[in-house]
Every structure is written in structure tokens, then in C-alpha cells.
Amino acid sequence: MSELTKVLTESELLHNLGKLREGKDSGYSAFYSSQLGGIIKEDSLMVIPFDDHMVHRGHGIFDTAAIANGKVYDLDAHLDRFIISAKNSKLLLPFPKEQMKKIILDTTAISNRRDGSIRYWISSGTGNLGLIPPEDAKPAFFVMIFGGLDYPERYYNEGMKVITTSYPIKPALYAVTKSTNYLPNTLMQLEAKEKGFDNGIFVDSYGNVGEGSNMNTAFVSQDDKLKHPKFDNILSGCTAKRILELAESLIGKGIIKDVNICDISVEEARGSKEMMFIGSSIGVAPIVEWDNKKIGNGKPGPIVFELKKLLSDDIINSKDRLIEVQYT
Ligand SMILES: Cc1ncc(COP(=O)(O)O)c(C=O)c1O
């Protein structure tokens, strides 16, 4: 007869939580939970109750901003998008924007991280396992300071290879809302990996290019225009939007002819000189092959390089998009 499944004591539970992280550097430097009422530095205790609706129903939203050289980049743009995601998801804000901003900056300061990522979530709260939490449930706010996603250097030096995913693109409302339902994005990424590619591209029902798993995509046309899909059916990428603004300076220098936000058919996109991914985790990365066909000459191109430089410069020197973290 097999033994009964163990019932854990409180101390065994704490011990086992610690064991889950043992010998691993999670890179999780600080975590804020409104449910627990403060910041936690011990990574094994950065937990959310199981009956939180973000856990068992996916009723939550998130966003991510970058920390570079001890400063937070473009937090307002990310928080504004976060608030739109909350509204689209019928999630109440746990705190006003300025207070969420303060908690984010305080958690960053406590983390001591000078470079990395800040991810933050709103969930509808705890209290039952139904679709909707009880009426008195409080929306919760969580902030995690961590090392950020790691991409291979090869992506930047040699360029990425992508496939058109077989998974359907999200309907517009779900694509523009950064909810914790990333199943299509995850399936696309898994499919690409299984088939030996770096990532996938969603295509809409009209045959227009959408986006990647957690990044936007843009193109340089044969007539040297920087082209980005309209943001109606894809996530309104803060990085892509900023790059499209910064790229205006390349028109004056004669490096590109124009910046267009428009529908881009797959056929047109395949004939581009350059293709790229853009996002706050990947930055700007060239795509050199799509469905085993070369983009341009199959090598990272000069415009991607220029855009990467513009973004790196903005992350370090921007006059109005950096917030100095008050480390103690
Ligand atoms: C689906 C999707 N598209 C695009 C992006 C790029 O957005 P951002 O530049 O704000 O990181 C992300 C990342 O957040 C994403 O998850």
C-alpha cells in the first residue's frame, strides 16, 4: 500500500518553499505585494495565494519597464498602457497611477539593481475559485525586480530566423490588452523552437503582418521607408512607438525616406530590405530569414543598426524619459 500524501506543517511548507529555489540564482531581487503589504527580498517567499484570480482564471494584466544604469526608462508610457489594459480587463486600479509609480520606484531602490527589468501586475483579487472574485475582493498590485530576459548575442550579430506561426493571431481587444493570457504567444514561441527557429510571426486574417511573441516587428522597404504595422490589432509597443519617433531624425540625414505606420501584407514584407523585432526586452534585433527565405541579403542591415543606436542612446541620455532611482 502506498503512503498517504503528506500533509505539510507550516515549517515544512516554508522549508519546501526554500528548497524550490535552492542552488538557483532566480535573479528576483525584490518583490512587492499589496496583499502581503510590502516588499519581500527572499525569493522563495515571493508568492501569490492560489485563489488569486490571476492564478486560476488569468484575470490579470502586466507590463514591463527597463532599468538601465540606475534609471528607469519610459515608465510613464508603460504605466499608461498598463492602465488601458486594466480598463479593457474591467480591473479596478489598486492605487492611483502616481502611487503605483512610487511603489515601483521604491521596490527598484530596495532591489539594488542598476540594470534589469521591472514587471508589475494587477489581479482582480482572491476569495473564491469562480470566474469573478467576491464583491469585497481587493484588486492586488505586484512588482517584481529581476534581471530581465536573456537573448543570445547571435540574435544581434547574425540575425534571427522566424516562421509564420500556425496559431491564430489574438482578436484585437486581447492583442491590445497586456493580460496574463499569453497562451497564443507561448504556443507560437514553442512552435518556433520545436521547428528550429528563433521566434514566430502572427499574421492576421487579411494576410497582414502582426507581431512576434513578445515583440513588435518592423521593416525597411525597397524604397527605404521604415514601415510598422498599425497598432489596432497588436500590442501598442512602447519601444516601437518611441523608435518610430526617433527614426524621424534618420530622414533628415537621408538614411531613410519616411516612417510609415500602415497595413503591411506578408507579400510586401517578404520583399523588404530589412526586417526586425522591437521590444523593451529584446531592444532592436535583425531578422534575416523568414520561413527559410532570406530577408534582403540575409544579413543584419544598416538601418537596424542605426535604430539600435538611437534606442541605446535614448535609454542613456533621454531628457524626459528617465527616472533616477533613489538607491539607499
Ligand atoms: C505581444 C507583445 N508585442 C509587443 C511587445 C513590445 O512591447 P514593448 O516595446 O512595450 O516592450 C510586447 C512586450 O511587451 C509583447 O508582449
Side-chain angles (χ1 to χ4, degrees):
M1 267 261 294
S2 62
E3 266 181 51
L4 268 181
T5 307
K6 202 172 167 51
V7 177
L8 298 173
T9 63
E10 202 175 314
S11 67
E12 281 171 335
L13 168 65
L14 286 175
H15 175 76
N16 289 355
L17 277 173
K19 270 200 350 202
L20 278 177
R21 302 277 177 211
E22 214 170 62
K24 295 180 196 137
D25 178 10
S26 65
Y28 305 145
S29 312
F31 175 68
Y32 168 84
S33 161
S34 64
Q35 288 167 341
L36 299 175
I39 298 170
I40 297 143
K41 293 211 65 181
E42 172 54 52
D43 61 357
S44 63
L45 300 179
M46 297 172 176
V47 294
I48 299 184
F50 188 80
D51 64 341
D52 188 285
H53 279 243
M54 189 165 77
V55 176
H56 67 91
R57 292 293 186 183
H59 195 193
I61 53 137
F62 73 105
D63 217 296
T64 313
I67 317 163
N69 303 307
K71 294 177 186 143
V72 179
Y73 177 62
D74 220 6
L75 183 57
D76 276 292
H78 285 273
L79 271 175
D80 289 343
R81 183 174 68 187
F82 188 58
I83 289 168
I84 292 171
S85 293
K87 192 159 178 264
N88 290 345
S89 309
K90 294 192 187 294
L91 284 165
L92 299 173
L93 296 187
F95 304 112
K97 178 182 169 186
E98 284 312 306
Q99 197 174 342
M100 291 195 285
K101 197 166 164 180
K102 182 175 182 318
I103 293 170
I104 287 172
L105 293 172
D106 288 351
T107 313
T108 310
I110 294 292
S111 80
N112 244 336
R113 257 196 195 278
R114 259 75 182 166
D115 291 280
S117 279
I118 309 170
R119 189 164 295 169
Y120 37 96
W121 296 259
I122 293 174
S123 82
S124 55
T126 59
N128 64 31
L129 294 177
L131 270 303
I132 304 169
E135 276 195 4
D136 60 353
K138 276 201 189 136
F141 185 49
F142 307 103
V143 181
M144 176 69 90
I145 312 297
F146 67 113
L149 304 184
D150 241 357
Y151 295 107
E153 264 311 302
R154 169 180 69 78
Y155 282 11
Y156 304 94
N157 304 336
E158 296 167 25
M160 298 178 67
K161 296 181 180 178
V162 297
I163 46 163
T164 305
T165 186
S166 64
Y167 290 100
I169 194 168
K170 289 179 191 171
L173 172 67
Y174 305 122
V176 302
T177 304
K178 210 165 158 56
S179 82
T180 50
N181 309 134
Y182 259 46
L183 185 60
N185 314 57
T186 301
L187 289 174
M188 172 160 80
Q189 173 90 78
L190 281 172
E191 179 184 40
K193 293 276 171 207
E194 280 162 11
K195 295 184 174 165
F197 294 85
D198 299 316
N199 209 313
I201 301 286
F202 282 121
V203 171
D204 72 17
S205 55
Y206 299 101
N208 293 322
V209 176
E211 61 187 333
S213 61
N214 56 334
M215 42 199 78
N216 293 111
T217 185
F219 302 87
V220 180
S221 63
Q222 285 299 333
D223 55 356
D224 296 314
K225 291 179 178 160
L226 176 63
K227 292 194 170 186
H228 193 288
K230 287 182 190 163
F231 291 98
D232 315 359
N233 300 319
I234 54 173
L235 190 75
S236 188
C238 298
T239 322
K241 287 204 153 164
R242 181 61 179 154
I243 283 185
L244 294 170
E245 273 173 29
L246 295 168
E248 298 283 337
S249 67
L250 302 181
I251 302 175
K253 292 182 182 160
I255 295 173
I256 55 172
K257 297 241 164 57
D258 207 351
V259 175
N260 293 165
I261 301 173
C262 53
D263 286 333
I264 306 170
S265 71
V266 169
E267 195 189 350
E268 180 190 352
R270 287 195 197 283
S272 302
K273 277 187 176 171
E274 294 184 45
M275 178 174 180
M276 68 203 84
F277 274 137
I278 302 176
S280 47
S281 59
I282 196 142
V284 186
I287 297 171
V288 293
E289 266 185 47
W290 181 7
D291 292 337
N292 287 319
K293 292 183 202 95
K294 282 183 186 170
I295 297 292
N297 64 5
K299 302 222 159 52
I303 312 292
V304 167
F305 183 72
E306 292 292 337
L307 296 173
K308 205 164 174 261
K309 267 201 311 197
L310 284 175
L311 180 65
S312 310
D313 181 60
D314 201 49
I315 289 175
I316 293 172
N317 298 317
S318 169
K319 299 269 179 293
D320 55 353
R321 286 173 189 250
L322 292 172
I323 305 174
E324 188 109 37
V325 179
Q326 302 301 314
Y327 298 99
T328 45

